[in-house]
Amino acid sequence: MLMGALVTFLVVILILYLINLLPLDGRAKQIARVVVIILGVISLLKYIAVF
């Protein structure tokens, strides 16, 4: 359980880093960051058995 949550956290961090490297305007980057963070939080909540 802990290992899966750690991997999910690291993948979210990696995706956020890659989004910063993309040549997008600020608004598109912000929307992409919010979507990734929401999906990451939902995934982490599954690991701690909330859903």
Side-chain angles (χ1 to χ4, degrees):
M1 180 179 97
L2 181 63
M3 200 62 157
L6 181 62
V7 169
T8 302
F9 180 72
L10 291 175
V11 168
V12 168
I13 296 298
L14 177 66
I15 293 172
L16 289 173
Y17 172 74
L18 293 174
I19 287 172
N20 282 335
L21 296 178
L22 291 174
L24 299 172
D25 62 339
R27 184 78 174 146
K29 279 186 183 181
Q30 184 179 11
I31 292 170
R33 282 187 210 124
V34 169
V35 168
V36 168
I37 290 172
I38 289 172
L39 292 175
V41 167
I42 290 172
S43 181
L44 286 173
L45 288 175
K46 285 182 183 178
Y47 277 111
I48 59 172
V50 173
F51 290 121

